[in-house]
Amino acid sequence: MGIDAGSGYRVWYQNLLDAWQQRFSGWVLRKIPPARNIVLGHENIFIIPNRQGVGFVFLLVLMFIGAVNYEASLGFALVFLLLGMFVLSIFYTYRNLSGLHVTATPGSSVFAGEKAEVTVILNRHGKRIYENIRVSFPGSREVATDLVTEKEQRISVFVPAKKRGYFSPGRLRIETTFPFGLSQAWSLMDLKFRCLVYPQPVECDLDWLLNSHQQSGNTNIVRGNDDFYGLRSYVAGDSLKHVAWKVLARGQGMYTKEYSSNRDDKAWLRWDMFPDLDTEQRLSRLCWCVLQLDAAGIDYGLELPGIVLQPSRGPVHYDKALRELALFGLPA
Amino acid sequence: MQSKVDETVAEIGKVVLGKDKQIRLALCCLFAGGHLLMEDKPGMGKTTLSQALARTFGLQYSRIQFTSDLLPADIIGVSIYDQSTSSFTFHKGPLFKNLILADEINRTTPKTQSALLEAMEEGRVSVDGTTYALPHPFFVIATQNPVSFSGTYPLPESQLDRFLMRLTIGYPHPQAERELLINTDQRANLEFINQCLSGEDVIEVQKKIAKVKATDTLLDYVQRLVAYTRQDDKFSFGLSPRGAQALMRSARTWALMHDRQHVLPEDVKTVLPAVADHRLRSVSDTSGRSGESWSQRLLNEVDVV
Amino acid sequence: MRGFHFFRKKSDARLRNQDYYRIPRFAFVWLLASVVSVILPHVARLPLWLTGMCALCITGRILVYQGRMSYPGKQIKAILVLTMAALMVLQFGRDVFSTDSMVGVLLVGITLKLLEMHRKRDVLMVLYLCYFTIIAEFIYSQSIPIAIYMTISILVISSAMISLNQTPEHQSVRRTLRLAGLILLQSAPLMMAFFLLFPRISPLWSVPVQSNSSVTGLSETMSPGDIGDLARSGEVAFRVQFNGEMPPFNELYWRGLTLDNFNGREWRRGIDRDRPQRLSADRQEEMGWFREIEYTGRRYAYNIILEPTFQNWIFTLQMPSILDERMRMRRDFQVETFRRVTQRFSYDATSYLEFAADTDQRAIPRRSFSFIPGDSNPRALEFAQELRAQHDSTESFANAVLEHFREEEFFYTLSPPLLGDAPVDEFLFETREGFCEHFASSFTYLMRAAGIPSRVVTGYQGGEVNPYDGTLTVRQYDAHAWSEIWIQDRGWVRVDPTAAVAPDRINRGTDSVLQEDNNFLSDEVFSLIRLRNSLFLNDLRLRLEMIDYAWNRFVLNYDQESQFRFFSNLFGEVTRTKIIMVLLGFLALVVAFVAFTVFRQPAYSKAPPATRLYRKFCAYMASQGFPRNIGETPMDYLQRMSEVNPQWTAPMKEITQIYNELAFVNTEADPEQIRYLEHKVRKFRLLN
């Protein structure tokens, strides 16, 4: 009975907390609309005395009682001086954020499960310096920084990217308790930051897949670079690593070793290569295949329901293929 | 100075019709000691312009046609085993000239591209652990097709930054086009282009550039332009400090080419599209290439004074 | 990732705190400096083992920081705490709850906490305690040097707080210190306003006061040698500021204790026979005995700031007529406070030097005032009775005794020989060397032996006048004892037998008489008071004392009453709401000022004058319907306008050219040209 009541209370409390958080986030959204760059000022900085600040006020009360009881005039002076310091510290904390320009630049694309790098750029103008500003995204570590001598500070924050598709790290929290740590000023902002998250690569037996699904029936093309194929006469510019030194040493002239990387071969990566798996699992495996084929320098094509990429290679094609995999089936 | 420039422009104008502004910008780029990238669709006269430029400067030049099977060694040179001396001797590649015309640079593999760009950046090349200095002055005029054309390896942003300017030539003016149609072989005129400038002229100009004055008001304007690219929503990439420096250097050279010892906002406005377009990247354009001139918008949204 | 992280999630917090917090190097140094700076002023008062304990903990902490030692484990900490507690009980015994021991606990607590800093919160705790320790120091001393020292201490502690909140990469001692100083400086006006106006509350409960053993001053009893001891000390007893004229120097008898009970060796207080009289200006009831006092002659008003005596009697000029409500006068004219004087105590008093008290014979019990233990000093008794027989009036008998002191070989000295069981006899007939208490005691004994009601009074006599502010400083070596005898129809009359032996003592002060005495000021080895012989240094000392007096009077003794006076001077009638309004108003003023300086956004550099003029010109053109486009250069604008509006071309061309010249050609602006441009712009606006 008691346990029921307790958990009932906990559920009720949790609901209340959720409702309040939802309310607050809605309010923040309205108060600080998403923007690519934000100047911190009175309309987007929140400030309250923190726990240490409350402790400090408690200390002042104790000191005041001490001063009253011992009738120590200087004790009063000290209490009032510290009170003034406390009040001022609130302004100083605010000042340590206000006027700061905040932007974020998109980092490069990552694979799901990795951490996406967000570069937060803080700019200052004028003589005011900023100290110990802590920057974080939900789920990331806090990064502290200063703008003392430098006008601009770039901070890399790593946020775990869990799902493929366009990734937004949530609201940036920028926070400071400088100078005394008695009050806390902070702001939450959506910097409209987006980066692409590719599916998480999952290893699979590529040779087997290609063999069993390839029309041309070529085998062993993936590891082509490794197998010696024959010799041809040396052409200026050929890698010296591939010169057939043994032949040269025999005085038979300069030859270049050729390997059985057949440049004309094309691999097709198809959606129905993995009949037993669900969408995400298929995409993960396809992604891994793309990585392997790109590294091997083999032309590959991609065939997803409704999307066909003709076989090609190179960075543009690679990007395009991964992009399709990342965004497959997601609303635009 | 101005007369010399006018003369040169007239000379090049013999083969590239009605493109005075582009010719002047190209000259400006070379005077400023920067490398030039010309980007346009095939057949727009990129190669003609670059060859004409090379001739008027009277510099030693070599033309390299970049293809997908071109290897770094083909442009840098190779160490070849000499059986008579039983040692390797270095055979300099075509890169060891004052002026390089790198045609269709985006047709070749990234490996070869970066070999060229490294040479541009550092003014020297290393082969098998030995460093060879490139001649001075050293210019690269590269041409490339727009990225949307297939079979290309686009240059990455970091390497685009190494070109001081990027020019597009554009379709000719109707009048010029007509002249083109009348003359059967415009290219043949290349043979008749005279040398108007010398390598010494270029070095002379480069010395003078630093002395061209830029007032606070002007620098404020430039800073506003740069800040705008960094802060505005439309750009995902702002101008780098190197980009800003390139802008000022080009504007100074432009002023010098007009016999002025101070930079006017007009100079900045003129050179900005050529200097900034390839360094900016808009938000909506993830591939990094766009037909639209972002810098034109920039000029229309940042006030001069 | 639900919701925004308005509240920091627990997991995040744990993420940050999972390792032992390592305090940044700069903050650590600041912290140590703070702790040492607040402990230092206490060291002289602390038992040696306690100082040692603090030093041990601090050293231990440094070793931990350097990595040469690990944090002490639970057992070691427990041992340390227990040892501490045991030593505390041993040291202070029953006084374990006294202020001294509390301060000791506080200091040891701070240093022990140093050994247990695992989180930022712990460091903060130490710093808070440091602030608190400053208050503890103020219990003992609030002198100017201590105030200055403590200001520095506050600066150091505040710097430590700042340092703790700075990133380790960008710390500089100067910047931290400057910021702390700036903030403290900015809090000063607020502090001042609150200090002056914040209602002072009387103590909420009585606090254990520090032990009084170390305090020098008059004691409750008087036996030979007591007051002589005081002459070793140059400590200030109290300071007096007269409101108007000061009485003649030899009339400055600061009456303290009335001692009317003699046991043969020692004088003590007797028993009260009547209720004490309050002397506040608006007193309701007056005792019968008090009503009979006749005040005549001049009235003297003065303020006294008494150093803590840990007794409840205070000093006034005889005979006080008005005192404030914290004090009362007893039947024997001794003035007392209701609470012991544990802090500097300031009071205003009004006295008449001429008065007649207890003139009526019935007013005093003759027998108790002339009681002497019968067998204590037989020779003196005999001598007195013989002498009394030769004189018919009390006055002439007293004069004869004084004459005896003067005529015979009596010496006034600080180092008299020790006296045995019959001190009066020994002094009068053998040693004949003594200090004021010897003379007062013997004289009173002789009076009593002759049946004259008499008593001993102790207090201070004289003082030192500071020429810079006119205050009178009374020191311990000014302590004095004299007699009062009762004469029919005249009442109680002061008789000072010392004056008979050493008239200079009364007319010019103790130091003029005892300058050569070895024991004089022997406790004050390093004190400035020893430097009185150098004219320059003495001058310096007097100036410092003047400042010290002002400090005591206006800062340390700024109490409810002075606050009331200050407030009513400024704002008229004092009401609670008014005080609150004024305080809040002041707070708002300060906050507004600070907000103004703090909230101001960083200023962007202002455009140069030429540009501002040109913008003005463009604004005018826009108002005429021809605005300059954004991004249009002045030259392009001119070009466009000359096509649209040819009649403007000439003046506009002029303006544009001058502006171009100023803005883009000349690196140094020529004021002449700017004026010219201004002129042209104005002309353009007038003509078009």
Side-chain angles (χ1 to χ4, degrees):
Chain A
M1 191 63 202
I3 294 161
D4 278 349
S7 66
Y9 167 75
R10 215 165 294 140
V11 166
W12 173 80
Y13 178 73
Q14 193 59 49
N15 286 344
L16 191 78
L17 211 66
D18 285 355
W20 150 239
Q21 283 216 338
Q22 210 149 35
R23 209 156 206 223
F24 179 76
S25 57
W27 179 70
V28 168
L29 196 71
R30 261 177 281 122
K31 196 166 157 67
I32 313 173
R36 293 252 318 149
N37 67 76
I38 283 177
V39 183
L40 291 175
H42 58 88
E43 67 280 354
N44 47 26
I45 296 177
F46 308 100
I47 181 156
I48 47 164
N50 57 7
R51 199 186 304 165
Q52 284 82 354
V54 174
F56 191 75
V57 171
F58 182 66
L59 170 82
L60 289 188
V61 171
L62 283 185
M63 285 169 76
F64 184 76
I65 292 171
V68 164
N69 273 352
Y70 285 99
E71 294 175 273
S73 246
L74 288 187
F76 286 108
L78 174 65
V79 170
F80 297 142
L81 183 73
L82 294 184
L83 181 73
M85 204 176 90
F86 175 70
V87 173
L88 283 179
S89 88
I90 297 174
F91 293 109
Y92 272 86
T93 308
Y94 171 87
R95 179 192 157 98
N96 200 38
L97 283 188
S98 110
L100 209 57
H101 285 248
V102 189
T103 34
T105 59
S108 44
S109 307
V110 291
F111 295 96
E114 292 182 345
K115 282 185 171 171
E117 180 184 5
V118 187
T119 307
V120 177
I121 306 168
L122 303 176
N123 269 295
R124 69 183 176 107
H125 298 275
K127 282 191 202 144
R128 186 182 295 180
I129 60 172
Y130 297 87
E131 291 195 61
N132 202 1
I133 287 166
R134 297 195 298 276
V135 171
S136 65
F137 281 103
S140 84
R141 262 180 175 274
E142 266 188 347
V143 185
T145 190
D146 287 320
L147 284 94
V148 177
T149 46
E150 47 287 271
K151 287 272 172 198
E152 183 182 286
Q153 194 66 270
R154 286 163 176 266
I155 311 141
S156 292
V157 186
F158 293 89
V159 193
K162 293 192 183 94
K163 277 177 11 202
R164 71 181 173 92
Y166 278 118
F167 168 70
S168 160
R171 291 215 154 209
L172 172 74
R173 181 187 171 94
I174 174 165
E175 181 191 334
T176 187
T177 57
F178 186 81
F180 288 120
L182 301 179
S183 49
Q184 169 177 334
W186 79 103
S187 187
L188 296 165
M189 57 192 92
D190 184 346
L191 291 169
K192 295 212 281 191
F193 169 91
R194 237 169 42 146
C195 78
L196 200 58
V197 178
Y198 303 139
Q200 183 171 23
V202 173
E203 199 175 339
C204 56
D205 190 347
L206 184 58
D207 281 348
W208 180 84
L209 279 171
L210 292 178
N211 284 337
S212 53
H213 290 88
Q214 223 68 46
Q215 296 91 331
S216 60
N218 266 336
T219 55
N220 233 352
I221 49 161
V222 177
R223 278 194 232 98
N225 248 0
D226 295 337
D227 292 335
F228 182 65
Y229 178 74
L231 288 173
R232 62 169 168 79
S233 50
Y234 178 81
V235 179
D238 277 354
S239 170
L240 292 179
K241 280 183 200 155
H242 292 172
V243 168
W245 297 108
K246 279 181 192 163
V247 181
L248 184 73
R250 271 184 247 128
Q252 291 170 333
M254 212 158 157
Y255 288 94
T256 299
K257 287 189 273 190
E258 271 203 311
Y259 294 86
S260 69
S261 159
N262 193 332
R263 290 181 167 256
D264 294 331
D265 275 327
K266 292 177 172 59
W268 273 102
L269 300 172
R270 292 175 209 282
W271 179 251
D272 43 20
M273 286 199 300
F274 311 96
D276 304 332
L277 301 174
D278 68 14
T279 310
E280 294 304 320
Q281 289 170 331
R282 285 186 199 209
L283 290 171
S284 285
R285 281 165 178 80
L286 285 171
C287 180
W288 189 80
C289 294
V290 168
L291 297 184
Q292 296 304 309
L293 290 169
D294 182 73
I298 295 166
D299 282 15
Y300 51 92
L302 184 65
E303 203 182 286
L304 301 175
I307 296 159
V308 177
L309 282 184
Q310 286 304 317
S312 174
R313 66 194 148 87
V316 177
H317 182 70
Y318 170 79
D319 268 351
K320 221 183 260 177
L322 287 179
R323 187 184 193 80
E324 293 301 346
L325 290 175
L327 298 177
F328 177 74
L330 295 178
Chain B
M1 185 72 213
Q2 186 161 17
S3 57
K4 239 177 190 177
V5 171
D6 287 345
E7 193 189 328
T8 315
V9 172
E11 204 62 36
I12 299 175
K14 285 187 206 163
V15 286
V16 184
L17 298 176
K19 292 290 171 195
D20 273 17
K21 193 180 172 193
Q22 277 80 351
I23 296 168
R24 277 177 195 276
L25 281 170
L27 281 175
C28 174
C29 179
L30 297 188
F31 277 134
H35 306 291
L36 179 64
L37 177 67
M38 283 198 277
E39 182 182 286
D40 218 325
K41 289 176 261 310
M44 303 292 284
K46 302 187 292 279
T47 313
T48 316
L49 175 57
S50 52
Q51 281 184 334
L53 277 169
R55 280 181 167 275
T56 50
F57 274 86
L59 295 170
Q60 274 198 312
Y61 78 94
S62 55
R63 183 168 171 237
I64 309 171
Q65 180 69 43
F66 280 70
T67 53
S68 60
D69 55 358
L70 194 75
L71 292 165
D74 295 339
I75 58 166
I76 296 169
V78 282
S79 298
I80 291 184
Y81 187 74
D82 188 343
Q83 275 168 321
S84 57
T85 59
S86 301
S87 65
F88 284 97
T89 47
F90 181 65
H91 290 246
K92 286 182 177 176
L95 210 56
F96 287 83
K97 293 280 164 46
N98 286 113
L99 183 61
I100 312 297
L101 303 180
D103 253 348
E104 309 206 67
I105 188 171
N106 57 346
R107 286 239 178 254
T108 194
T109 53
K111 209 171 170 182
T112 314
Q113 285 174 354
S114 52
L116 174 69
L117 293 159
E118 240 176 83
M120 284 163 56
E121 180 75 5
E122 292 171 13
R124 57 198 157 88
V125 290
S126 311
V127 180
D128 300 332
T130 320
T131 305
Y132 302 95
L134 293 168
H136 184 76
F138 178 73
F139 296 119
V140 173
I141 300 178
T143 68
Q144 73 167 4
N145 293 328
V147 182
S148 41
F149 283 73
S150 62
T152 57
Y153 297 89
L155 293 172
E157 274 94 17
S158 60
Q159 303 195 335
L160 278 174
D161 206 32
R162 293 184 186 163
F163 289 99
L164 181 67
M165 289 190 188
R166 184 182 71 173
L167 289 178
T168 50
I169 303 204
Y171 294 114
H173 198 261
Q175 203 182 340
E177 183 128 46
R178 194 164 191 101
E179 216 169 311
L180 269 176
L181 295 173
I182 293 166
N183 285 335
T184 44
D185 191 5
Q186 196 69 29
R187 276 200 152 187
N189 283 343
L190 269 176
E191 300 302 319
F192 304 109
I193 283 180
N194 298 317
Q195 178 185 346
C196 310
L197 297 157
S198 63
E200 286 74 50
D201 279 335
V202 177
I203 291 170
E204 187 85 357
V205 170
Q206 289 187 355
K207 275 185 197 158
K208 284 184 189 164
I209 291 171
K211 290 180 189 146
V212 178
K213 279 187 292 183
T215 60
D216 284 342
T217 315
L218 186 101
L219 292 177
D220 282 347
Y221 174 51
V222 172
Q223 274 197 305
R224 275 202 297 276
L225 286 170
V226 172
Y228 188 85
T229 65
R230 290 178 190 165
Q231 284 167 13
D232 195 79
D233 276 10
K234 291 189 275 295
F235 301 104
S236 59
F237 264 95
L239 266 188
S240 62
R242 177 158 43 165
Q245 277 179 334
L247 178 62
M248 271 319 290
R249 189 171 175 81
S250 308
R252 284 195 160 99
T253 313
W254 190 261
L256 205 60
M257 281 165 65
H258 294 83
D259 280 346
R260 268 185 283 108
Q261 288 301 314
H262 53 266
V263 185
L264 289 180
E266 282 84 354
D267 302 333
V268 178
K269 288 184 74 169
T270 315
V271 297
L272 183 93
V275 176
D277 263 347
H278 62 294
R279 298 171 201 260
L280 291 175
R281 184 164 147 184
S282 80
V283 173
S284 55
D285 172 24
T286 42
S287 67
R289 274 93 202 160
S290 159
E292 197 183 345
S293 171
W294 287 101
S295 49
Q296 204 51 53
R297 284 184 69 170
L298 186 63
L299 289 175
N300 290 337
E301 285 178 30
V302 178
D303 205 356
V304 181
V305 293
Chain C
M1 240 194 264
R2 164 181 46 83
F4 299 121
H5 45 324
F6 171 53
F7 299 109
R8 178 154 305 289
K9 298 250 168 62
K10 272 238 170 81
S11 57
D12 289 359
R14 220 175 293 140
L15 199 71
R16 282 180 298 142
N17 290 336
Q18 63 194 176
D19 312 318
Y20 265 165
Y21 173 72
R22 188 172 164 81
I23 175 167
R25 189 166 60 90
F26 272 93
F28 182 68
V29 175
W30 279 116
L31 176 76
L32 284 188
S34 310
V35 171
V36 171
S37 83
V38 296
I39 291 179
L40 268 186
H42 290 279
V43 163
R45 273 187 303 270
L46 292 177
L48 209 58
W49 63 266
L50 221 153
T51 314
M53 194 105 174
C54 292
L56 189 78
C57 291
I58 292 174
T59 317
R61 188 61 187 82
I62 293 174
L63 289 179
V64 169
Y65 186 81
Q66 291 176 338
R68 289 199 249 166
M69 203 177 99
S70 58
Y71 274 110
K74 264 186 193 152
Q75 283 134 346
I76 296 179
K77 273 190 274 187
I79 290 170
L80 275 174
V81 170
L82 285 177
T83 318
M84 226 286 297
L87 285 170
M88 223 60 202
V89 172
L90 271 177
Q91 174 79 33
F92 292 98
R94 287 169 65 202
D95 287 336
V96 85
F97 291 108
S98 69
T99 309
D100 279 349
S101 78
M102 285 298 152
V103 170
V105 168
L106 183 64
L107 294 181
V108 173
I110 289 177
T111 47
L112 279 178
K113 187 78 193 164
L114 278 179
L115 288 176
E116 204 213 23
M117 288 193 307
H118 299 319
R119 275 164 298 182
K120 197 170 167 182
R121 219 172 54 200
D122 297 329
V123 184
L124 213 58
M125 185 75 196
V126 171
L127 290 175
Y128 285 4
L129 287 174
C130 284
Y131 280 129
F132 197 85
T133 314
I134 294 178
I135 287 263
E137 173 61 27
F138 287 155
I139 297 170
Y140 294 100
S141 168
Q142 302 188 63
S143 65
I144 295 178
I146 283 290
I148 293 171
Y149 177 86
M150 283 309 172
T151 311
I152 296 169
S153 231
I154 294 167
L155 197 63
V156 172
I157 303 170
S158 304
S159 295
M161 297 258 292
I162 292 177
S163 187
L164 198 59
N165 282 290
Q166 279 175 318
T167 52
E169 295 87 44
H170 273 115
Q171 294 223 8
S172 98
V173 173
R174 249 183 74 196
R175 191 153 43 85
T176 307
L177 204 59
R178 201 170 48 198
L179 183 62
L182 184 72
I183 295 177
L184 286 178
L185 215 62
Q186 287 175 340
S187 341
L190 200 75
M191 174 195 83
M192 238 123 87
F194 270 74
F195 185 81
L196 289 175
L197 301 175
F198 196 86
R200 293 293 168 90
I201 307 162
S202 15
L204 306 176
W205 63 84
S206 76
V207 285
V209 290
Q210 79 215 70
S211 54
N212 55 5
S213 55
S214 59
V215 177
T216 37
L218 287 174
S219 61
E220 242 166 321
T221 61
M222 188 193 86
S223 52
D226 282 355
I227 293 179
D229 284 346
L230 287 180
R232 297 161 182 270
S233 164
E235 265 179 50
V236 174
F238 53 89
R239 292 186 171 92
V240 192
Q241 173 97 58
F242 281 94
N243 248 344
E245 206 185 318
M246 195 171 109
F249 191 84
N250 58 6
E251 286 293 324
L252 292 173
Y253 280 86
W254 302 102
R255 198 175 194 281
L257 286 159
T258 314
L259 307 172
D260 50 25
N261 191 338
F262 187 57
N263 67 358
R265 178 174 178 79
E266 195 178 57
W267 290 90
R268 298 173 171 280
R269 295 214 47 210
I271 328 140
D272 282 332
R273 290 159 295 115
D274 263 310
R275 282 166 57 204
Q277 169 67 47
R278 285 176 182 247
L279 289 179
S280 53
D282 55 346
R283 55 193 171 231
Q284 300 294 317
E285 53 166 353
E286 291 195 342
M287 302 292 141
W289 58 267
F290 182 75
R291 239 179 283 134
E292 281 174 19
I293 300 173
E294 282 174 49
Y295 294 100
T296 52
R298 244 195 100 86
R299 179 172 163 277
Y300 295 97
Y302 50 93
N303 169 274
I304 291 182
I305 296 175
L306 182 64
E307 296 295 309
T309 58
F310 297 91
Q311 309 290 356
N312 63 348
W313 63 81
I314 60 168
F315 304 92
T316 54
L317 284 175
Q318 183 89 306
M319 169 64 86
S321 69
I322 299 173
L323 287 165
D324 66 46
E325 69 277 2
R326 292 168 299 172
M327 290 161 278
R328 60 185 177 183
M329 185 161 74
R330 299 174 82 131
R331 179 69 183 85
D332 53 10
F333 312 138
Q334 178 174 323
V335 183
E336 289 177 352
T337 55
F338 290 98
R339 292 195 300 125
R340 291 203 290 164
V341 181
T342 55
Q343 291 290 318
R344 248 192 216 95
F345 186 67
S346 160
Y347 51 95
D348 293 314
T350 308
S351 296
Y352 292 82
L353 296 189
E354 291 166 47
F355 61 91
D358 290 337
T359 43
D360 189 355
Q361 175 145 12
R362 286 161 302 168
I364 60 151
R366 280 191 83 110
R367 285 190 60 185
S368 69
F369 278 118
S370 51
F371 170 80
I372 41 175
D375 51 353
S376 59
N377 296 285
R379 288 174 66 192
L381 183 67
E382 196 182 331
F383 170 74
Q385 283 165 350
E386 271 174 29
L387 200 61
R388 180 71 183 92
Q390 297 164 19
H391 298 273
D392 35 292
S393 79
T394 312
E395 283 101 328
S396 61
F397 169 65
N399 278 332
V401 173
L402 292 177
E403 195 63 27
H404 176 77
F405 283 147
R406 220 178 341 247
E407 297 295 303
E408 302 292 318
E409 298 244 308
F410 280 94
F411 294 101
Y412 182 68
T413 171
L414 252 185
S415 28
L418 286 175
L419 299 176
D421 287 337
V424 180
D425 278 2
E426 284 172 43
F427 172 70
L428 281 178
F429 306 108
E430 286 159 33
T431 64
R432 296 199 168 182
E433 285 177 24
F435 202 55
C436 52
E437 71 264 36
H438 296 89
F439 292 99
S441 172
S442 314
F443 179 81
T444 314
Y445 184 85
L446 292 175
M447 289 296 119
R448 286 195 173 193
I452 302 168
S454 55
R455 57 193 182 192
V456 170
V457 176
T458 59
Y460 296 86
Q461 199 278 328
E464 181 188 32
V465 180
N466 189 322
Y468 295 107
D469 58 359
T471 56
L472 183 82
T473 306
V474 179
R475 297 173 186 283
Q476 292 302 345
Y477 62 64
D478 290 316
H480 194 49
W482 59 92
S483 298
E484 280 179 351
I485 57 173
W486 187 84
I487 299 169
Q488 182 72 46
D489 298 329
R490 283 178 67 189
W492 286 104
V493 175
R494 184 183 69 223
V495 181
D496 188 351
T498 312
V501 186
D504 276 354
R505 163 69 186 88
I506 309 305
N507 294 325
R508 291 172 49 206
T510 324
D511 48 343
S512 63
V513 186
L514 294 175
Q515 205 65 266
E516 308 299 318
D517 202 303
N518 283 339
N519 273 346
F520 182 58
L521 283 180
S522 56
D523 287 353
E524 309 287 328
V525 183
F526 299 111
S527 170
L528 281 174
I529 195 107
R530 295 218 109 191
L531 305 171
R532 284 164 313 151
N533 293 332
S534 149
L535 211 60
F536 166 74
L537 289 176
N538 196 39
D539 187 65
L540 185 76
R541 178 180 66 87
L542 289 171
R543 278 175 191 274
L544 285 178
E545 272 174 12
M546 173 189 74
I547 296 170
D548 200 39
Y549 175 77
W551 173 255
N552 279 324
R553 174 129 198 223
F554 300 110
V555 179
L556 302 187
N557 284 299
Y558 185 83
D559 53 9
Q560 225 163 351
E561 203 186 325
S562 0
Q563 192 173 40
F564 215 75
R565 226 179 297 137
F566 175 80
F567 193 90
S568 53
N569 279 347
L570 273 183
F571 307 105
E573 196 199 344
V574 183
T575 62
R576 192 173 294 264
T577 40
K578 219 181 205 174
I579 292 176
I580 292 170
M581 294 296 278
V582 168
L583 269 182
L584 285 181
F586 197 84
L587 190 69
L589 212 71
V590 169
V591 165
F593 174 74
V594 172
F596 175 74
T597 56
V598 166
F599 285 164
R600 217 166 21 131
Q601 290 288 333
Y604 292 86
S605 56
K606 220 172 162 190
T611 301
R612 270 179 283 156
L613 280 171
Y614 185 73
R615 281 186 193 156
K616 211 190 242 174
F617 167 73
C618 291
Y620 175 72
M621 289 295 281
S623 73
Q624 298 300 304
F626 303 103
R628 188 171 61 87
N629 298 331
I630 291 172
E632 199 171 19
T633 64
M635 281 303 201
D636 290 347
Y637 186 37
L638 171 66
Q639 188 70 31
R640 189 162 61 87
M641 282 298 107
S642 62
E643 280 156 26
V644 177
N645 226 334
Q647 80 271 17
W648 286 354
T649 310
M652 202 180 147
K653 192 172 178 183
E654 209 167 5
I655 288 171
T656 309
Q657 274 172 351
I658 299 168
Y659 174 63
N660 249 18
E661 185 89 357
L662 275 169
F664 302 115
V665 181
N666 300 344
T667 32
E668 295 292 321
D670 176 10
E672 195 62 37
Q673 241 179 333
I674 290 172
R675 266 197 295 279
Y676 187 59
L677 178 63
E678 193 176 6
H679 166 73
K680 285 287 165 193
V681 170
R682 201 183 305 131
K683 202 168 138 196
F684 184 88
R685 289 172 62 172
L686 280 175
L687 293 181
N688 301 288

